[in-house]
Amino acid sequence: MDLSERHALIIDRLRSAERVDVAELARAIGTSEVTIRRDLEQLAEQGVLRRVRGGAVSLLSRGEGPPFVFREVDNVEAKRRIGAAVAGLIQDGEAVVVDGGTTGLEVARALAGRRVTVMPLSMQAAGALANAAPTRIIQAGGEVRPGELAVTGPLAEAGLRALRFDTAVLSCCGASAEHGVTAYDPADASLKSVAISSAARTILAADAAKFARTAMAVVAPLTRVDVLVTDTAAPPEALEAIAALGIEVHRV
């Protein structure tokens, strides 16, 4: 089991038990206690947990998703395919707002070097688009969320409301025909909602895992989405329900 897999397992244990024990984790993962202690120290530095004698306790609230550094290495190939497919739906000359998150980052990477105007909603995506002429970048304002490096808040929303885009590319924390598009952070959900209202078309980029989750904050009903791009592992019954709403669905 590699580093990212161990960290993901530790986070899953913290979500269910709120406290983990070094010896128990070492047995479950099949590694040494020294390795587990090192993993816990790394996670503590990233604000995921607090070290206590013999283990650690969670610092993640129930409304919080996994940190960006772990999502970035999760389902990477599927997210790259989704990013390329979304970029393929965007025409040269378009004005596009690209959401934060790991899937939004892959969309930004796929658009880099294209003749488009992009407002990225994260520093991660802005970095992927930088120095990629003829791509034009309009930087969003707002508060930058630590770790995630996504922008949120009134300044970011005002910047979006002042512009009109051909396409808004959204990422999400959860998606379903019943509960719509959801996010863990209410400020993030609010910004996504403004992005939808500022664009003529909305593309939702979501890997298969998103259809098994419903996060705390509602972004919008799925009827506000025009196109869904996902991967081949997405559950067919969920996609059928989404397509029944009149949404164009792409599996890549």
Side-chain angles (χ1 to χ4, degrees), residues 3 11 22 38 43 67 74 79 106 134 168-169 174 197 214 217 230 232 242 249:
L3 177 68
I11 290 172
V22 170
R38 186 165 56 244
L43 291 171
D74 182 45
K79 291 175 182 178
E106 293 301 336
V169 178
S197 298
T214 298
T230 187
T232 53
I242 291 169
V249 177

Side-chain angles (χ1 to χ4, degrees), residues 4-5 70-83 102-103 106 206-211 213 230-234 252:
S4 63
E5 290 173 326
F70 304 123
R71 302 198 322 272
E72 191 174 18
V73 296
D74 182 45
N75 211 10
V76 174
E77 290 305 317
K79 291 175 182 178
R80 285 175 181 163
R81 294 197 306 272
I82 291 169
T102 55
T103 309
E106 293 301 336
D207 68 275
K210 303 305 190 297
F211 302 101
R213 304 171 187 159
T230 187
D231 62 87
T232 53
V252 297

Side-chain angles (χ1 to χ4, degrees), residues 56-118:
V57 295
S58 176
L59 293 179
L60 292 175
S61 71
R62 296 187 183 277
E64 230 177 343
F68 184 94
V69 290
F70 304 123
R71 302 198 322 272
E72 191 174 18
V73 296
D74 182 45
N75 211 10
V76 174
E77 290 305 317
K79 291 175 182 178
R80 285 175 181 163
R81 294 197 306 272
I82 291 169
V86 170
L89 296 172
I90 293 170
Q91 302 296 314
D92 283 352
E94 282 198 37
V96 186
V97 55
V98 175
D99 204 355
T102 55
T103 309
L105 176 57
E106 293 301 336
V107 174
R109 287 169 173 161
L111 285 173
R114 291 275 306 277
R115 188 173 57 81
V116 289
T117 298
V118 184

Side-chain angles (χ1 to χ4, degrees), residues 22 26 31-40:
V22 170
T31 190
S32 70
E33 293 187 14
V34 171
T35 297
I36 293 300
R37 289 191 185 95
R38 186 165 56 244
D39 289 340
L40 294 179

